[in-house]
Amino acid sequence: MSVLQTLKDRSNNTCELCTSANDLSQYTIPPSLNENVDNDILVCKTCLDQIEEREEMNPNHWRCLNDNMWSEHVAVQIMAWRMLQRLRHEGWPKDLVDMMYLDDDALALARATGEHEDEANKIIHRDVNGVILSNGDAVVLVKDLKVKGSSLVAKQGTAVRNIRLDRDNDKYIEGKVGAQQIVIITDFVKKL
């Protein structure tokens, strides 16, 4: 059975965040690289557009998290926590976050994208041209790079897809070159 079909079955063909039944799609929670039932949720187009910041946040849309943050599925709990963190300036989401319980591993994953940090404290990753990078972006190498600890040389022009940002250092990103997962300095990449 496919991941998408499993998500549809577990959610009864409704968005796992707002329970809408329209325009559903599978969403892999960053910084996860692989699609699987533990990392993915089923979301509607409205939720997806606001999660990916293609549309301005509508605080009233997210009042549904009052119920759905108690989901038995960790991936749903993590996304509920992240969205409540984005809305914490509204007041009511802070109360919901204070009621939530995530185990240490889930909380670490929830914090991986920095949703809980104030804008002034967030680490911003930029490519060689100053363009802001995000988890899941694709970049291209702007020069040949010798990979420390191996004989691999990552050639200029190599595309690195689905990158992950280092949350402690604004100069480091992770991505796969060939079959090898490597750390790349942002000064040597350009966003695609």
Side-chain angles (χ1 to χ4, degrees):
M1 185 180 302
S2 72
V3 172
L4 179 60
Q5 188 57 50
T6 303
L7 293 174
K8 286 180 177 181
D9 290 347
R10 98 175 173 195
S11 69
N12 294 322
N13 285 322
T14 61
C15 175
E16 292 186 274
L17 297 175
C18 75
T19 67
S20 170
N22 300 325
D23 294 324
L24 300 174
S25 61
Q26 178 179 339
Y27 177 73
T28 302
I29 297 174
S32 302
L33 295 175
N34 302 322
E35 293 181 1
N36 68 48
V37 176
D38 296 329
N39 299 337
D40 291 23
I41 60 175
L42 192 66
V43 295
C44 67
K45 183 173 181 350
T46 303
C47 287
L48 183 61
D49 286 346
Q50 292 183 46
I51 288 169
E52 294 185 340
E53 299 181 44
R54 291 183 287 205
E55 189 176 290
E56 188 174 332
M57 291 285 286
N58 175 359
N60 287 327
H61 174 78
W62 295 103
R63 289 193 181 268
C64 56
L65 295 178
N66 188 37
D67 296 326
N68 294 336
M69 70 182 200
W70 303 110
S71 171
E72 65 186 90
H73 306 290
V74 175
V76 177
Q77 294 171 15
I78 289 169
M79 274 317 298
W81 187 89
R82 287 182 181 175
M83 299 316 292
L84 290 169
Q85 287 292 340
R86 285 189 196 177
L87 293 167
R88 67 184 173 275
H89 65 277
E90 293 288 321
W92 61 267
K94 184 178 181 333
D95 295 336
L96 294 180
V97 168
D98 290 344
M99 286 190 285
M100 284 187 82
Y101 172 78
L102 295 174
D103 66 34
D104 292 339
D105 292 338
L107 186 57
L109 184 56
R111 290 181 169 172
T113 58
E115 301 288 344
H116 63 290
E117 295 179 12
D118 292 328
E119 289 299 319
N121 296 335
K122 281 189 180 179
I123 293 178
I124 299 173
H125 294 74
R126 296 182 185 272
D127 72 1
V128 69
N129 295 324
V131 176
I132 296 175
L133 299 172
S134 302
N135 279 311
D137 282 346
V139 296
V140 65
L141 301 178
V142 296
K143 73 177 258 182
D144 290 354
L145 300 174
K146 172 138 178 48
V147 178
K148 289 183 180 179
S150 78
S151 60
L152 177 69
V153 175
K155 297 290 186 186
Q156 178 180 350
T158 301
V160 181
R161 303 196 189 290
N162 205 7
I163 64 168
R164 289 187 294 176
L165 307 178
D166 184 312
R167 49 185 233 150
D168 298 322
N169 189 324
D170 66 344
K171 291 293 182 185
Y172 294 157
I173 60 172
E174 290 183 29
K176 280 193 174 187
V177 173
Q180 190 168 358
Q181 184 81 11
I182 64 170
V183 174
I184 307 167
I185 297 174
T186 56
D187 295 337
F188 305 124
V189 299
K190 180 174 70 171
K191 185 174 178 178
L192 285 177

mmCIF file of all heavy atoms in Angstrom, residues 99-140:
data_model
loop_
_atom_site.group_PDB
_atom_site.id
_atom_site.type_symbol
_atom_site.label_atom_id
_atom_site.label_comp_id
_atom_site.label_asym_id
_atom_site.label_seq_id
_atom_site.Cartn_x
_atom_site.Cartn_y
_atom_site.Cartn_z
ATOM 1 N N MET A 99 -0.313 23.465 26.743
ATOM 2 C CA MET A 99 -1.021 22.233 27.096
ATOM 3 C C MET A 99 -0.453 21.006 26.394
ATOM 4 O O MET A 99 -0.633 19.888 26.851
ATOM 5 C CB MET A 99 -2.509 22.344 26.730
ATOM 6 C CG MET A 99 -3.295 23.235 27.645
ATOM 7 S SD MET A 99 -5.065 23.084 27.345
ATOM 8 C CE MET A 99 -5.253 24.001 25.817
ATOM 9 N N MET A 100 0.238 21.209 25.259
ATOM 10 C CA MET A 100 0.737 20.076 24.477
ATOM 11 C C MET A 100 1.860 19.355 25.195
ATOM 12 O O MET A 100 2.645 19.966 25.911
ATOM 13 C CB MET A 100 1.256 20.547 23.116
ATOM 14 C CG MET A 100 0.191 20.873 22.126
ATOM 15 S SD MET A 100 0.879 21.218 20.490
ATOM 16 C CE MET A 100 1.107 19.561 19.878
ATOM 17 N N TYR A 101 1.938 18.052 24.938
ATOM 18 C CA TYR A 101 3.075 17.278 25.415
ATOM 19 C C TYR A 101 3.664 16.526 24.231
ATOM 20 O O TYR A 101 2.966 15.752 23.573
ATOM 21 C CB TYR A 101 2.679 16.267 26.499
ATOM 22 C CG TYR A 101 3.828 15.360 26.825
ATOM 23 C CD1 TYR A 101 4.865 15.807 27.636
ATOM 24 C CD2 TYR A 101 3.918 14.091 26.267
ATOM 25 C CE1 TYR A 101 5.959 15.007 27.901
ATOM 26 C CE2 TYR A 101 5.000 13.282 26.532
ATOM 27 C CZ TYR A 101 6.019 13.739 27.350
ATOM 28 O OH TYR A 101 7.099 12.951 27.599
ATOM 29 N N LEU A 102 4.937 16.775 23.951
ATOM 30 C CA LEU A 102 5.674 16.022 22.944
ATOM 31 C C LEU A 102 6.867 15.380 23.649
ATOM 32 O O LEU A 102 7.526 16.040 24.459
ATOM 33 C CB LEU A 102 6.189 16.944 21.833
ATOM 34 C CG LEU A 102 5.152 17.644 20.966
ATOM 35 C CD1 LEU A 102 5.823 18.622 20.012
ATOM 36 C CD2 LEU A 102 4.340 16.641 20.180
ATOM 37 N N ASP A 103 7.139 14.115 23.345
ATOM 38 C CA ASP A 103 8.326 13.503 23.957
ATOM 39 C C ASP A 103 9.577 14.192 23.410
ATOM 40 O O ASP A 103 9.507 14.999 22.479
ATOM 41 C CB ASP A 103 8.347 11.991 23.749
ATOM 42 C CG ASP A 103 8.498 11.565 22.295
ATOM 43 O OD1 ASP A 103 9.196 12.260 21.520
ATOM 44 O OD2 ASP A 103 7.923 10.530 21.921
ATOM 45 N N ASP A 104 10.724 13.909 23.993
ATOM 46 C CA ASP A 104 11.956 14.628 23.657
ATOM 47 C C ASP A 104 12.317 14.530 22.177
ATOM 48 O O ASP A 104 12.730 15.518 21.567
ATOM 49 C CB ASP A 104 13.123 14.122 24.514
ATOM 50 C CG ASP A 104 12.960 14.488 25.982
ATOM 51 O OD1 ASP A 104 12.189 15.437 26.271
ATOM 52 O OD2 ASP A 104 13.595 13.841 26.831
ATOM 53 N N ASP A 105 12.168 13.343 21.573
ATOM 54 C CA ASP A 105 12.508 13.178 20.156
ATOM 55 C C ASP A 105 11.565 13.984 19.264
ATOM 56 O O ASP A 105 11.994 14.640 18.312
ATOM 57 C CB ASP A 105 12.455 11.700 19.753
ATOM 58 C CG ASP A 105 13.553 10.879 20.410
ATOM 59 O OD1 ASP A 105 14.580 11.471 20.816
ATOM 60 O OD2 ASP A 105 13.391 9.644 20.512
ATOM 61 N N ALA A 106 10.274 13.940 19.567
ATOM 62 C CA ALA A 106 9.299 14.677 18.768
ATOM 63 C C ALA A 106 9.501 16.181 18.922
ATOM 64 O O ALA A 106 9.414 16.933 17.949
ATOM 65 C CB ALA A 106 7.881 14.287 19.172
ATOM 66 N N LEU A 107 9.808 16.629 20.139
ATOM 67 C CA LEU A 107 10.033 18.060 20.369
ATOM 68 C C LEU A 107 11.282 18.537 19.626
ATOM 69 O O LEU A 107 11.292 19.626 19.044
ATOM 70 C CB LEU A 107 10.155 18.341 21.864
ATOM 71 C CG LEU A 107 10.240 19.816 22.254
ATOM 72 C CD1 LEU A 107 9.027 20.596 21.746
ATOM 73 C CD2 LEU A 107 10.364 19.957 23.759
ATOM 74 N N ALA A 108 12.328 17.709 19.601
ATOM 75 C CA ALA A 108 13.541 18.073 18.862
ATOM 76 C C ALA A 108 13.235 18.209 17.369
ATOM 77 O O ALA A 108 13.703 19.147 16.718
ATOM 78 C CB ALA A 108 14.631 17.033 19.089
ATOM 79 N N LEU A 109 12.435 17.297 16.832
ATOM 80 C CA LEU A 109 12.060 17.387 15.416
ATOM 81 C C LEU A 109 11.165 18.594 15.167
ATOM 82 O O LEU A 109 11.315 19.301 14.171
ATOM 83 C CB LEU A 109 11.364 16.104 14.969
ATOM 84 C CG LEU A 109 11.010 16.012 13.491
ATOM 85 C CD1 LEU A 109 12.240 16.197 12.609
ATOM 86 C CD2 LEU A 109 10.343 14.694 13.179
ATOM 87 N N ALA A 110 10.251 18.874 16.090
ATOM 88 C CA ALA A 110 9.362 20.027 15.944
ATOM 89 C C ALA A 110 10.167 21.324 15.923
ATOM 90 O O ALA A 110 9.855 22.251 15.182
ATOM 91 C CB ALA A 110 8.332 20.056 17.071
ATOM 92 N N ARG A 111 11.218 21.398 16.713
ATOM 93 C CA ARG A 111 12.039 22.603 16.790
ATOM 94 C C ARG A 111 13.058 22.712 15.655
ATOM 95 O O ARG A 111 13.698 23.751 15.504
ATOM 96 C CB ARG A 111 12.791 22.633 18.116
ATOM 97 C CG ARG A 111 11.889 22.874 19.284
ATOM 98 C CD ARG A 111 12.664 22.920 20.561
ATOM 99 N NE ARG A 111 11.802 23.402 21.631
ATOM 100 C CZ ARG A 111 12.141 23.409 22.895
ATOM 101 N NH1 ARG A 111 13.335 22.997 23.266
ATOM 102 N NH2 ARG A 111 11.308 23.851 23.799
ATOM 103 N N ALA A 112 13.205 21.683 14.844
ATOM 104 C CA ALA A 112 14.247 21.635 13.813
ATOM 105 C C ALA A 112 14.163 22.768 12.803
ATOM 106 O O ALA A 112 15.171 23.171 12.232
ATOM 107 C CB ALA A 112 14.205 20.293 13.091
ATOM 108 N N THR A 113 12.986 23.309 12.568
ATOM 109 C CA THR A 113 12.853 24.383 11.580
ATOM 110 C C THR A 113 12.889 25.768 12.196
ATOM 111 O O THR A 113 12.808 26.761 11.498
ATOM 112 C CB THR A 113 11.544 24.236 10.775
ATOM 113 O OG1 THR A 113 10.445 24.243 11.689
ATOM 114 C CG2 THR A 113 11.547 22.960 9.948
ATOM 115 N N GLY A 114 12.968 25.844 13.536
ATOM 116 C CA GLY A 114 13.081 27.144 14.194
ATOM 117 C C GLY A 114 11.779 27.906 14.319
ATOM 118 O O GLY A 114 11.787 29.111 14.565
ATOM 119 N N GLU A 115 10.629 27.231 14.178
ATOM 120 C CA GLU A 115 9.332 27.905 14.286
ATOM 121 C C GLU A 115 9.161 28.589 15.638
ATOM 122 O O GLU A 115 8.451 29.574 15.760
ATOM 123 C CB GLU A 115 8.178 26.911 14.108
ATOM 124 C CG GLU A 115 8.160 26.166 12.809
ATOM 125 C CD GLU A 115 7.774 27.010 11.622
ATOM 126 O OE1 GLU A 115 7.223 28.103 11.790
ATOM 127 O OE2 GLU A 115 8.040 26.566 10.504
ATOM 128 N N HIS A 116 9.807 28.047 16.657
ATOM 129 C CA HIS A 116 9.621 28.545 18.024
ATOM 130 C C HIS A 116 10.474 29.762 18.345
ATOM 131 O O HIS A 116 10.298 30.386 19.374
ATOM 132 C CB HIS A 116 9.958 27.420 19.012
ATOM 133 C CG HIS A 116 11.381 26.981 18.950
ATOM 134 N ND1 HIS A 116 11.903 26.293 17.873
ATOM 135 C CD2 HIS A 116 12.401 27.154 19.803
ATOM 136 C CE1 HIS A 116 13.173 26.048 18.088
ATOM 137 N NE2 HIS A 116 13.508 26.560 19.256
ATOM 138 N N GLU A 117 11.396 30.112 17.470
ATOM 139 C CA GLU A 117 12.305 31.222 17.746
ATOM 140 C C GLU A 117 11.735 32.537 17.235
ATOM 141 O O GLU A 117 11.026 32.577 16.234
ATOM 142 C CB GLU A 117 13.661 30.963 17.085
ATOM 143 C CG GLU A 117 14.371 29.754 17.672
ATOM 144 C CD GLU A 117 15.692 29.475 17.001
ATOM 145 O OE1 GLU A 117 16.171 30.328 16.234
ATOM 146 O OE2 GLU A 117 16.235 28.395 17.232
ATOM 147 N N ASP A 118 12.062 33.613 17.928
ATOM 148 C CA ASP A 118 11.681 34.941 17.466
ATOM 149 C C ASP A 118 12.450 35.250 16.188
ATOM 150 O O ASP A 118 13.570 34.777 15.992
ATOM 151 C CB ASP A 118 12.007 35.997 18.528
ATOM 152 C CG ASP A 118 11.132 35.853 19.756
ATOM 153 O OD1 ASP A 118 9.972 35.437 19.595
ATOM 154 O OD2 ASP A 118 11.614 36.148 20.867
ATOM 155 N N GLU A 119 11.865 36.068 15.324
ATOM 156 C CA GLU A 119 12.501 36.407 14.050
ATOM 157 C C GLU A 119 13.911 36.957 14.234
ATOM 158 O O GLU A 119 14.802 36.684 13.450
ATOM 159 C CB GLU A 119 11.642 37.423 13.281
ATOM 160 C CG GLU A 119 10.360 36.858 12.722
ATOM 161 C CD GLU A 119 10.570 35.739 11.735
ATOM 162 O OE1 GLU A 119 11.490 35.833 10.891
ATOM 163 O OE2 GLU A 119 9.832 34.749 11.798
ATOM 164 N N ALA A 120 14.131 37.739 15.275
ATOM 165 C CA ALA A 120 15.448 38.341 15.508
ATOM 166 C C ALA A 120 16.507 37.300 15.856
ATOM 167 O O ALA A 120 17.695 37.514 15.606
ATOM 168 C CB ALA A 120 15.366 39.368 16.631
ATOM 169 N N ASN A 121 16.084 36.149 16.395
ATOM 170 C CA ASN A 121 17.037 35.122 16.814
ATOM 171 C C ASN A 121 17.221 34.003 15.800
ATOM 172 O O ASN A 121 18.061 33.135 16.003
ATOM 173 C CB ASN A 121 16.584 34.507 18.144
ATOM 174 C CG ASN A 121 16.589 35.526 19.256
ATOM 175 O OD1 ASN A 121 17.324 36.505 19.204
ATOM 176 N ND2 ASN A 121 15.762 35.294 20.253
ATOM 177 N N LYS A 122 16.425 33.983 14.751
ATOM 178 C CA LYS A 122 16.510 32.904 13.773
ATOM 179 C C LYS A 122 17.804 32.987 12.973
ATOM 180 O O LYS A 122 18.240 34.070 12.592
ATOM 181 C CB LYS A 122 15.333 32.938 12.803
ATOM 182 C CG LYS A 122 14.070 32.361 13.376
ATOM 183 C CD LYS A 122 13.029 32.224 12.303
ATOM 184 C CE LYS A 122 11.759 31.638 12.877
ATOM 185 N NZ LYS A 122 10.722 31.501 11.868
ATOM 186 N N ILE A 123 18.371 31.837 12.721
ATOM 187 C CA ILE A 123 19.544 31.757 11.862
ATOM 188 C C ILE A 123 19.050 31.707 10.421
ATOM 189 O O ILE A 123 18.182 30.899 10.083
ATOM 190 C CB ILE A 123 20.381 30.505 12.200
ATOM 191 C CG1 ILE A 123 20.987 30.659 13.585
ATOM 192 C CG2 ILE A 123 21.438 30.261 11.149
ATOM 193 C CD1 ILE A 123 21.785 29.463 14.044
ATOM 194 N N ILE A 124 19.581 32.588 9.590
ATOM 195 C CA ILE A 124 19.172 32.660 8.188
ATOM 196 C C ILE A 124 20.315 32.171 7.318
ATOM 197 O O ILE A 124 21.430 32.685 7.388
ATOM 198 C CB ILE A 124 18.771 34.093 7.806
ATOM 199 C CG1 ILE A 124 17.578 34.535 8.659
ATOM 200 C CG2 ILE A 124 18.437 34.178 6.320
ATOM 201 C CD1 ILE A 124 17.191 35.971 8.487
ATOM 202 N N HIS A 125 20.029 31.161 6.513
ATOM 203 C CA HIS A 125 21.014 30.604 5.586
ATOM 204 C C HIS A 125 20.852 31.301 4.242
ATOM 205 O O HIS A 125 19.739 31.408 3.736
ATOM 206 C CB HIS A 125 20.797 29.104 5.416
ATOM 207 C CG HIS A 125 21.061 28.321 6.665
ATOM 208 N ND1 HIS A 125 20.206 28.326 7.736
ATOM 209 C CD2 HIS A 125 22.093 27.520 7.010
ATOM 210 C CE1 HIS A 125 20.691 27.548 8.687
ATOM 211 N NE2 HIS A 125 21.838 27.046 8.275
ATOM 212 N N ARG A 126 21.961 31.760 3.679
ATOM 213 C CA ARG A 126 21.935 32.430 2.380
ATOM 214 C C ARG A 126 22.946 31.781 1.439
ATOM 215 O O ARG A 126 24.033 31.394 1.863
ATOM 216 C CB ARG A 126 22.279 33.915 2.534
ATOM 217 C CG ARG A 126 21.252 34.675 3.356
ATOM 218 C CD ARG A 126 21.607 36.158 3.439
ATOM 219 N NE ARG A 126 20.702 36.874 4.312
ATOM 220 C CZ ARG A 126 19.556 37.417 3.924
ATOM 221 N NH1 ARG A 126 19.191 37.346 2.670
ATOM 222 N NH2 ARG A 126 18.782 38.050 4.789
ATOM 223 N N ASP A 127 22.587 31.720 0.145
ATOM 224 C CA ASP A 127 23.513 31.164 -0.835
ATOM 225 C C ASP A 127 24.549 32.210 -1.236
ATOM 226 O O ASP A 127 24.584 33.314 -0.677
ATOM 227 C CB ASP A 127 22.757 30.613 -2.046
ATOM 228 C CG ASP A 127 22.164 31.683 -2.950
ATOM 229 O OD1 ASP A 127 22.336 32.897 -2.683
ATOM 230 O OD2 ASP A 127 21.536 31.310 -3.954
ATOM 231 N N VAL A 128 25.368 31.895 -2.207
ATOM 232 C CA VAL A 128 26.454 32.771 -2.635
ATOM 233 C C VAL A 128 25.945 34.133 -3.126
ATOM 234 O O VAL A 128 26.643 35.138 -3.027
ATOM 235 C CB VAL A 128 27.329 32.076 -3.702
ATOM 236 C CG1 VAL A 128 26.567 31.906 -5.003
ATOM 237 C CG2 VAL A 128 28.637 32.804 -3.912
ATOM 238 N N ASN A 129 24.704 34.189 -3.607
ATOM 239 C CA ASN A 129 24.118 35.437 -4.097
ATOM 240 C C ASN A 129 23.272 36.154 -3.049
ATOM 241 O O ASN A 129 22.636 37.153 -3.348
ATOM 242 C CB ASN A 129 23.256 35.164 -5.337
ATOM 243 C CG ASN A 129 24.080 34.664 -6.494
ATOM 244 O OD1 ASN A 129 25.212 35.087 -6.690
ATOM 245 N ND2 ASN A 129 23.523 33.733 -7.260
ATOM 246 N N GLY A 130 23.212 35.615 -1.832
ATOM 247 C CA GLY A 130 22.438 36.245 -0.771
ATOM 248 C C GLY A 130 20.982 35.830 -0.729
ATOM 249 O O GLY A 130 20.211 36.370 0.054
ATOM 250 N N VAL A 131 20.589 34.860 -1.546
ATOM 251 C CA VAL A 131 19.211 34.375 -1.561
ATOM 252 C C VAL A 131 18.995 33.468 -0.347
ATOM 253 O O VAL A 131 19.827 32.612 -0.041
ATOM 254 C CB VAL A 131 18.919 33.600 -2.867
ATOM 255 C CG1 VAL A 131 17.522 33.012 -2.855
ATOM 256 C CG2 VAL A 131 19.115 34.508 -4.076
ATOM 257 N N ILE A 132 17.881 33.648 0.337
ATOM 258 C CA ILE A 132 17.587 32.861 1.542
ATOM 259 C C ILE A 132 17.259 31.419 1.162
ATOM 260 O O ILE A 132 16.469 31.166 0.251
ATOM 261 C CB ILE A 132 16.425 33.495 2.336
ATOM 262 C CG1 ILE A 132 16.848 34.872 2.847
ATOM 263 C CG2 ILE A 132 15.990 32.585 3.481
ATOM 264 C CD1 ILE A 132 15.751 35.643 3.544
ATOM 265 N N LEU A 133 17.882 30.486 1.879
ATOM 266 C CA LEU A 133 17.663 29.057 1.668
ATOM 267 C C LEU A 133 16.706 28.529 2.726
ATOM 268 O O LEU A 133 16.706 28.989 3.862
ATOM 269 C CB LEU A 133 18.988 28.300 1.750
ATOM 270 C CG LEU A 133 20.058 28.689 0.735
ATOM 271 C CD1 LEU A 133 21.380 28.006 1.058
ATOM 272 C CD2 LEU A 133 19.612 28.334 -0.672
ATOM 273 N N SER A 134 15.928 27.511 2.348
ATOM 274 C CA SER A 134 14.988 26.860 3.273
ATOM 275 C C SER A 134 15.179 25.353 3.189
ATOM 276 O O SER A 134 15.700 24.834 2.193
ATOM 277 C CB SER A 134 13.545 27.182 2.893
ATOM 278 O OG SER A 134 13.326 28.564 2.897
ATOM 279 N N ASN A 135 14.729 24.651 4.228
ATOM 280 C CA ASN A 135 14.742 23.185 4.184
ATOM 281 C C ASN A 135 13.971 22.721 2.965
ATOM 282 O O ASN A 135 12.907 23.245 2.658
ATOM 283 C CB ASN A 135 14.093 22.600 5.445
ATOM 284 C CG ASN A 135 15.034 22.586 6.616
ATOM 285 O OD1 ASN A 135 16.166 22.131 6.511
ATOM 286 N ND2 ASN A 135 14.574 23.091 7.742
ATOM 287 N N GLY A 136 14.524 21.729 2.257
ATOM 288 C CA GLY A 136 13.851 21.170 1.095
ATOM 289 C C GLY A 136 14.196 21.847 -0.222
ATOM 290 O O GLY A 136 13.818 21.356 -1.278
ATOM 291 N N ASP A 137 14.918 22.962 -0.184
ATOM 292 C CA ASP A 137 15.311 23.644 -1.418
ATOM 293 C C ASP A 137 16.302 22.801 -2.220
ATOM 294 O O ASP A 137 16.930 21.879 -1.701
ATOM 295 C CB ASP A 137 15.980 24.994 -1.114
ATOM 296 C CG ASP A 137 14.984 26.083 -0.762
ATOM 297 O OD1 ASP A 137 13.783 25.891 -0.998
ATOM 298 O OD2 ASP A 137 15.426 27.127 -0.246
ATOM 299 N N ALA A 138 16.469 23.163 -3.472
ATOM 300 C CA ALA A 138 17.480 22.564 -4.328
ATOM 301 C C ALA A 138 18.533 23.631 -4.622
ATOM 302 O O ALA A 138 18.200 24.797 -4.841
ATOM 303 C CB ALA A 138 16.861 22.068 -5.624
ATOM 304 N N VAL A 139 19.800 23.226 -4.593
ATOM 305 C CA VAL A 139 20.901 24.141 -4.870
ATOM 306 C C VAL A 139 21.837 23.499 -5.877
ATOM 307 O O VAL A 139 21.783 22.291 -6.118
ATOM 308 C CB VAL A 139 21.681 24.510 -3.578
ATOM 309 C CG1 VAL A 139 20.807 25.262 -2.597
ATOM 310 C CG2 VAL A 139 22.289 23.286 -2.926
ATOM 311 N N VAL A 140 22.708 24.318 -6.454
ATOM 312 C CA VAL A 140 23.726 23.826 -7.368
ATOM 313 C C VAL A 140 25.078 24.320 -6.868
ATOM 314 O O VAL A 140 25.197 25.435 -6.354
ATOM 315 C CB VAL A 140 23.437 24.271 -8.831
ATOM 316 C CG1 VAL A 140 23.527 25.766 -8.980
ATOM 317 C CG2 VAL A 140 24.333 23.562 -9.813
#
